[in-house]
Amino acid sequence: MTYTLTAEEYILSLLLLDGAEVAASIKDEVFGDISDQLLECRLDSATSGLISKGLLSVDGSQEKVDEQFQNFLMGLTKVKRIIRGQIATDEGASTVSLFCDKDFTVQQSLYDNRVFKLFGESDEQKLGRLMDLSFNRVEGQAFSVKEPQFEKVVDKLLAGRELTAEESSLFDPHFLDVLVAKKGKLNSLYDYRLGEQVAIGALLYISSGEQTWFIENNEDNLIIAPFSFGDLFE
């Protein structure tokens, strides 16, 4: 089952199902410091949207969420792990979240987080592509580079400037190929493990073709090494 919802429809659906905490996080991410009055107006329009999609019915003063849709959303509020990738593209950035349970549920944020696409997916190769992660880890050795050196190189690539031979020599040639191909655009990954206390792991990563490399801070240095979708579950 696939659901495509505006941000307002998504927030309203969660509020109707006592998912206020998740709804608040989406509201903050999409609308920031929106006033209660303006948010209420937006949610009023979302009611009509959900009704037109057959996901909500109104009987007098009673609002009833479609049972299948309700079960789908409630399942998302109970997962213990969410992996979120913020993927840099030439058009901007997109966000893909994996809700990890017995099965995976994908949440794609489209059009600057104004539309959310929700669907189940079991094919791990497809999940890897959605997250811009290679399915298998390429052969290669971890290496380190000073953070200021790395930032200077990324800034030059983002500006469309060529690297010097000295700058290029700082990196593994395979990683450098990926970095240049992506013009210095880096993805971000956040790994939320939910329990009594929320543990969050975060790192940068970059992919091109069948190669993915992660970039992680280690005091004054950055550690760079091959990475893959499968590494998330080891």
Side-chain angles (χ1 to χ4, degrees):
M1 183 64 70
T2 299
Y3 299 100
T4 302
L5 308 170
T6 66
E8 293 89 343
E9 290 167 353
Y10 196 10
I11 292 168
L12 177 60
S13 300
L14 290 164
L15 289 173
L16 292 172
L17 298 173
D18 296 324
E21 186 175 349
V22 180
S25 69
I26 296 171
K27 186 267 289 183
D28 291 342
E29 183 177 355
V30 178
F31 299 117
D33 296 327
I34 188 172
S35 68
D36 291 342
Q37 184 178 6
L38 184 54
L39 180 62
E40 186 176 344
C41 291
R42 288 183 175 274
L43 295 184
D44 284 343
S45 67
T47 301
S48 299
L50 290 173
I51 291 172
S52 68
K53 293 174 181 178
L55 302 177
L56 180 69
S57 59
V58 179
D59 183 7
S61 61
Q62 295 296 313
E63 295 174 316
K64 180 175 176 58
V65 178
D66 173 76
E67 184 176 358
Q68 188 175 23
F69 180 50
Q70 175 177 327
N71 292 337
F72 181 89
L73 285 185
M74 292 304 294
L76 300 185
T77 66
K78 297 175 182 176
V79 300
K80 297 300 183 185
R81 186 182 185 194
I82 302 170
I83 302 169
R84 175 170 296 169
Q86 294 180 335
I87 301 161
T89 68
D90 290 337
E91 293 73 34
S94 63
T95 302
V96 177
S97 300
L98 300 185
F99 292 78
C100 307
D101 202 359
K102 294 178 182 177
D103 300 307
F104 292 103
T105 299
V106 179
Q107 173 187 293
Q108 277 186 299
S109 305
L110 309 170
Y111 309 112
D112 291 329
N113 292 331
R114 304 314 293 246
V115 175
F116 291 82
K117 185 177 180 181
L118 302 156
F119 57 96
E121 181 57 71
S122 58
D123 187 323
E124 293 190 357
Q125 292 199 22
K126 289 182 180 179
L127 291 168
R129 288 193 292 271
L130 286 167
M131 296 287 292
D132 195 28
L133 286 164
S134 62
F135 186 66
N136 295 307
R137 190 193 311 170
V138 297
E139 292 186 9
Q141 296 295 319
F143 66 96
S144 64
V145 63
K146 294 291 185 183
E147 188 170 358
Q149 293 175 318
F150 182 77
E151 290 177 347
K152 180 182 177 181
V153 166
V154 167
D155 287 343
K156 287 187 72 172
L157 291 173
L158 289 172
R161 296 160 57 197
E162 291 189 9
L163 303 182
T164 65
E166 182 179 357
E167 289 166 337
S168 297
S169 68
L170 296 170
F171 305 102
D172 179 289
H174 297 294
F175 172 77
L176 182 63
D177 288 343
V178 175
L179 189 64
V180 171
K182 298 295 286 189
K183 303 175 185 177
K185 298 183 185 70
L186 304 174
N187 303 329
S188 300
L189 186 141
Y190 303 92
D191 194 348
Y192 301 86
R193 296 178 185 267
L194 311 178
E196 292 183 4
Q197 291 185 327
V198 178
I200 304 175
L203 52 81
L204 298 172
Y205 69 101
I206 189 167
S207 299
S208 180
E210 296 302 316
Q211 291 192 67
T212 297
W213 296 72
F214 76 76
I215 304 106
E216 193 167 30
N217 190 280
N218 182 24
E219 296 182 351
D220 295 332
N221 292 328
L222 296 176
I223 305 299
I224 301 173
F227 193 55
S228 70
F229 180 79
D231 289 329
L232 292 170
F233 304 98
E234 289 185 353

